[in-house]
Amino acid sequence: MKRTLTFALALSTLAVSISLMAQTSVPEIPFDSNADLFKMPPNTFLGEVAGVATNSKGNIFVYTRTGHPYATLGDSRTFYHAGSRLFEFNANGTFVRELGQDLYGFNAAQGLRVDPQDNIWTIDIGANQIVKFDPNGNVQLVLGRKPEAVGVRPAAPRGAPAESPAPATTAGAGAARGGRGAAPATQGAAPAAAPPAVPGAAARGGRGAGAGTPGSAFSRPTDVAWDRSGNIYVADGIGNNNRIAKFDKDGTFLKSWGQTGSENGQFTGVRSMAIDAQGNLYVADSGNKRIQVFDGEGNFKSQITDIGVPQAICISRGATQYLYSAHSGDPDGMVDATIYKIGLDGKVSGKFGSAGKLPKQFGLVNSIDCRSENELLVGEMTNWRVQKLPLRPGK
Amino acid sequence: MKSLLSVLLLIVAGCMLLASLGAPAVLTVGAQGRATATNVPIIPHESAPNFFKLPPGVYTGENMGIATNSRGHIFIFHRSGETRLYEYDEKGVFVKEIGRGNYGFAFAHSVRVDAQDNIWAVDEGTNMIIKFNPEGTKILMTIGRRPDPLAQTASMPGTGGATYANKPYEFGRPTDVAFDARGNIFVSDGYDDARVAKYDKDGRFVKSAGTRGNGQGQLNTPHTIAADAAGNIYIGDRGNARVQVWDNDLNFKAAYTNVGNPWAVCVSGGPHQYLYVSNSWPDSAPAGSVDFTGEIYKMELDGKIIGKFGTAGKALGKFATTHQMDCRNPDVIFTAEINNWRSQKITLKPQAIKAAAQ
């Protein structure tokens, strides 16, 4: 028995060293960082940066979880407000303006993209919506509907299971609590692994409709992309749906594909998505540690693996397009992180960066802008910042 | 009819709120004890009247945290309509607000200023530590992560179970932060966890120690923390009515058990450092404990009591639930108090100590 164990240990050591060798064979791309890019107005702060993207003029848009998400007491329902803001900066980082002030669907920022016509698209997992702003900042299109109310159930007392027949009340985050130390009231920090609460679904007493959901009944959508005809693809998402939904340019639903699973064409957490010049879709299937490639009709073409857990991806412009994919291997962004540069054929050409809070380190990268192949903008969740990263790949 | 309905709704909402607040009170931490030290000399003290001056229309709520920087400016972290952080100059005149609307502010607990004058806010509503630059205009670092607001709706109204998770980068209602001379960061964590977590100056987790209990090295609501020049840390183990002294690697060294329930501890600046410990009047200001709480002890770092000052109460110079102290200058103590929504500047006259029979 002991010998078997030793053998197994030796084998696993071998396996680890082989995988380490595989990893170290990826060249490091030298790079710099400007982690202090933005000049914010007084008492305005970035929070978790869910989305960052540039427009054709080089202006930078940031969709961030900041301010106070709060709920109001109404009738028997609980209403969810605020929690995210959208800022615009010029290329030098000077603040230009805020967009979408007090917007109904700005609750839990998840992503932001700018389309070829410089329209700004925000993705929100609190409201389960995609909102399109024209370059002037006017709302042009809304996909999905924010649930009227959020599902709230009474908390369990300390140490008890989560169900208890106490009266359900609600209050702003942490606002209605007892005096200092008088009661074990808690923010109720749910473990990161807790199943995502799906607003609306919980309020109706059931789960989301799941795979094959028609239309725009999104479940924590994460990203948006467009093909040359202006068709809209929505990555949907990290809730129950695990699908890609396709709409025409006016927002009419066309089709969707995918379901929960690990086979080709199935997903376990769609975290990000990008499209190449040929109209192929690259879908970050983070739970399965791969990027799947589809044509615009949803036919599976190939997959890219050995790139860790892809959390945010981006495809550069130009004659030779590259795919950047941010890997975060631990829940805190403090242990295991890097960004891979990958050819569209799936070959990894380099990587850069590590986990942490210093410049050139990454705390849960959630968004990459790669309009310029060698000057990326990277938005991080735990470090509340955007880093501008000039890359110096060797020739 | 419509107005009657809204009144009814208000009443119902109010009752529900009361029910939710009242229900968990049975699990209150141990009752405030009487300090056991006897024959403690009284240190004469004075409170500067109307020291903090606010512009019209600006108020503070429960004053949870107070700290000074090297220029004598004072920072007060308080629970108002929102949780807010104010800066005052050395004369107590309001200078500005810091960090309004940032994602880390929900329920103030403490504020500290490090050796470089950076301002650190500890928020037990978002489970986060927020580091601002000395001007308060930028957030330089955060530790901990605000729980996903959406996930929280699954356990609202906010009395959900504690996680006791002791995760490296997640807190369970953290209470305070301290720094050693090398810039290492110590977080007392907290109401839900029962530990001290240590980080290096770049915010990287080093280790944590402590479990819930009353044994040596165990904690029961570590509520406040401070470090001395040698890097030892002093933990107000409030529920266990003792101050614990740990070394820089979080090993137990000593416990001071005779100064009541420490709500606030502070290690002074200067070449000869002192430890101040507040046996605070509990936060509901119970009449039953007004006669034997509220005093603040001045001690040597080794635990020898030099004297004490103050009693529980709301008058000037009395203490209405001292929640945090600043003692950069060992003879000028700033107190942040929950119960009278105020802070005080206290000047000590230690040269005039006279023995008292307690």
Side-chain angles (χ1 to χ4, degrees):
Chain A
M1 177 62 204
K2 198 173 173 187
R3 207 180 327 162
T4 329
L5 200 70
T6 318
F7 182 64
L9 266 174
L11 255 187
S12 62
T13 312
L14 194 67
V16 166
S17 39
I18 285 171
S19 74
L20 278 177
M21 274 166 60
Q23 277 177 22
T24 48
S25 68
V26 175
E28 289 285 336
I29 300 174
F31 74 112
D32 297 313
S33 167
N34 177 357
D36 191 18
L37 180 63
F38 298 131
K39 287 158 267 303
M40 303 294 296
N43 271 320
T44 306
F45 299 89
L46 297 186
E48 299 186 336
V49 175
V52 60
T54 56
N55 69 9
S56 63
K57 298 172 186 66
N59 277 19
I60 304 164
F61 297 85
V62 177
Y63 189 35
T64 175
R65 297 185 192 177
T66 188
H68 308 300
Y70 66 97
T72 47
L73 292 167
D75 47 20
S76 61
R77 295 169 300 162
T78 301
F79 306 107
Y80 183 9
H81 312 268
S84 292
R85 297 170 77 178
L86 172 57
F87 300 118
E88 179 178 356
F89 304 86
N90 71 15
N92 300 323
T94 302
F95 181 84
V96 175
R97 60 176 171 163
E98 178 169 5
L99 303 174
Q101 292 91 332
D102 196 32
L103 204 75
Y104 183 59
F106 272 11
N107 300 125
Q110 178 61 28
L112 177 148
R113 299 277 187 181
V114 175
D115 71 18
Q117 291 74 42
D118 278 350
N119 300 299
I120 305 125
W121 299 65
T122 56
I123 304 103
D124 193 290
I125 58 170
N128 281 325
Q129 286 182 315
I130 318 292
V131 178
K132 174 190 180 184
F133 297 84
D134 68 18
N136 295 321
N138 300 312
V139 173
Q140 292 294 326
L141 179 68
V142 178
L143 294 178
R145 187 176 179 226
K146 176 177 170 176
E148 289 189 358
V150 289
V152 170
R153 61 181 162 80
R158 210 173 256 246
E163 298 293 341
S164 106
T169 76
T170 155
R177 281 207 253 121
R180 181 65 290 100
T186 165
Q187 182 90 348
V198 180
R204 289 190 298 271
R207 290 172 60 83
T213 304
S216 54
F218 303 126
S219 177
R220 307 197 109 196
T222 55
D223 214 342
V224 63
W226 316 272
D227 63 23
R228 284 187 173 173
S229 316
N231 293 314
I232 304 157
Y233 301 86
V234 174
D236 179 33
I238 50 174
N240 298 322
N241 287 351
N242 275 311
R243 61 163 189 160
I244 305 297
K246 181 176 181 179
F247 302 82
D248 73 10
K249 62 179 170 44
D250 300 318
T252 305
F253 177 73
L254 298 176
K255 69 190 297 185
S256 74
W257 69 87
Q259 56 184 294
T260 303
S262 57
E263 302 295 317
N264 292 343
Q266 296 182 331
F267 309 106
T268 306
V270 182
R271 292 221 57 121
S272 186
M273 180 176 60
I275 196 163
D276 69 14
Q278 278 67 49
N280 298 307
L281 280 163
Y282 296 72
V283 179
D285 177 14
S286 64
N288 294 319
K289 298 186 172 185
R290 63 179 176 179
I291 295 168
Q292 293 191 61
V293 187
F294 299 90
D295 69 19
E297 295 307 315
N299 299 305
F300 174 86
K301 295 183 75 172
S302 63
Q303 64 177 3
I304 301 168
T305 56
D306 295 324
I307 37 93
V309 183
Q311 304 280 10
I313 65 176
C314 178
I315 293 179
S316 66
R317 296 169 192 233
T320 307
Q321 294 188 291
Y322 286 96
L323 174 65
Y324 290 96
S325 178
H327 155 72
S328 296
D330 69 292
D332 307 306
M334 291 300 292
V335 178
D336 179 19
T338 196
I339 296 179
Y340 291 98
K341 183 178 185 182
I342 308 161
L344 292 191
D345 59 358
K347 185 172 178 300
V348 176
S349 65
K351 65 184 173 73
F352 53 94
S354 58
K357 296 181 186 294
L358 298 176
K360 301 179 73 172
Q361 296 180 334
F362 304 130
L364 301 187
V365 171
N366 202 66
S367 179
I368 302 173
D369 176 273
C370 60
R371 181 178 292 272
S372 163
E373 182 191 326
N374 288 318
E375 188 173 271
L376 308 189
L377 291 170
V378 166
E380 296 160 85
M381 295 303 264
T382 58
N383 291 337
W384 293 13
R385 68 183 179 191
V386 170
Q387 293 188 71
K388 187 177 194 171
L389 307 176
L391 307 182
R392 301 191 307 274
K395 286 296 162 199
Chain B
M1 182 57 205
K2 202 169 170 190
S3 64
L4 191 67
L5 199 69
S6 48
V7 167
L8 264 176
L9 269 174
L10 264 177
I11 291 171
V12 169
C15 291
M16 287 159 80
L17 204 65
L18 280 176
S20 73
L21 291 178
V26 281
L27 293 168
T28 296
V29 291
Q32 191 78 4
R34 186 190 296 265
T36 54
T38 52
N39 298 318
V40 178
I42 303 293
I43 304 172
H45 75 289
E46 276 176 10
S47 175
N50 303 313
F51 181 74
F52 291 100
K53 288 162 277 291
L54 286 164
V58 178
Y59 301 87
T60 65
E62 294 186 337
N63 283 208
M64 306 307 288
I66 190 162
T68 61
N69 71 10
S70 64
R71 294 190 298 143
H73 279 213
I74 305 144
F75 302 88
I76 295 178
F77 196 29
H78 64 96
R79 297 171 183 169
S80 197
E82 297 171 15
T83 266
R84 298 168 84 163
L85 175 58
Y86 289 173
E87 177 178 354
Y88 303 77
D89 70 13
E90 67 285 357
K91 296 187 171 66
V93 176
F94 179 83
V95 175
K96 66 174 189 280
E97 176 167 8
I98 292 170
R100 181 157 194 198
N102 90 79
Y103 194 58
F105 281 9
F107 210 51
H109 201 267
S110 89
V111 63
R112 299 275 185 181
V113 173
D114 68 20
Q116 290 73 42
D117 277 348
N118 299 302
I119 308 146
W120 297 67
V122 179
D123 191 293
E124 61 139 322
T126 61
N127 289 342
M128 295 200 69
I129 319 291
I130 315 286
K131 176 187 182 183
F132 293 91
N133 63 350
E135 297 75 32
T137 52
K138 279 183 185 170
I139 292 170
L140 300 180
M141 185 192 289
T142 65
I143 308 178
R145 192 171 179 199
R146 182 177 189 148
D148 182 334
L150 216 58
Q152 296 317 294
T153 59
S155 62
M156 286 171 82
T159 51
T163 62
Y164 305 112
N166 287 324
K167 290 184 176 175
Y169 298 101
E170 288 177 28
F171 302 119
R173 297 179 64 194
T175 54
D176 204 358
V177 64
F179 323 94
D180 68 17
R182 282 170 296 174
N184 291 312
I185 302 155
F186 300 87
V187 177
S188 51
D189 175 37
Y191 291 96
D192 289 346
D193 291 331
R195 61 164 179 169
V196 171
K198 178 181 179 180
Y199 301 83
D200 72 12
K201 65 178 171 44
D202 299 323
R204 194 168 290 279
F205 178 78
V206 177
K207 67 189 298 190
S208 73
T211 55
R212 186 172 301 277
N214 57 16
Q216 184 168 301
Q218 289 190 306
L219 298 162
N220 184 357
T221 313
H223 190 261
T224 169
I225 191 167
D228 68 18
N232 299 305
I233 59 171
Y234 299 80
I235 308 155
D237 183 10
R238 190 177 73 180
N240 288 328
R242 63 185 177 186
V243 175
Q244 289 196 51
V245 188
W246 291 5
D247 72 14
N248 200 264
D249 292 319
L250 309 184
N251 301 305
F252 177 88
K253 289 182 75 172
Y256 308 151
T257 59
N258 56 351
V259 286
N261 295 65
W263 285 61
V265 299
C266 178
V267 172
S268 74
H272 185 128
Q273 294 189 293
Y274 297 97
L275 172 67
Y276 292 86
V277 180
S278 174
N279 179 37
S280 303
W281 195 17
D283 57 346
S284 54
S289 58
V290 70
D291 294 331
F292 58 87
T293 60
E295 78 280 14
I296 297 172
Y297 292 87
K298 179 181 185 180
M299 307 167 79
E300 299 287 0
L301 295 183
D302 66 5
K304 177 176 178 287
I305 295 173
I306 296 164
K308 67 178 180 181
F309 55 94
T311 55
K314 299 188 181 185
L316 203 65
K318 292 177 179 282
F319 298 116
T321 317
T322 301
H323 193 260
Q324 199 182 357
M325 294 182 287
D326 177 276
C327 58
R328 179 181 291 271
N329 175 342
D331 294 327
V332 178
I333 312 297
F334 288 93
T335 58
E337 298 166 41
I338 295 179
N339 244 296
N340 223 18
W341 293 5
R342 70 171 180 197
S343 291
Q344 296 188 76
K345 180 183 181 181
I346 303 292
T347 304
L348 302 183
K349 300 195 164 46
Q351 64 279 14
I353 283 184
K354 55 178 187 286
Q358 157 76 16

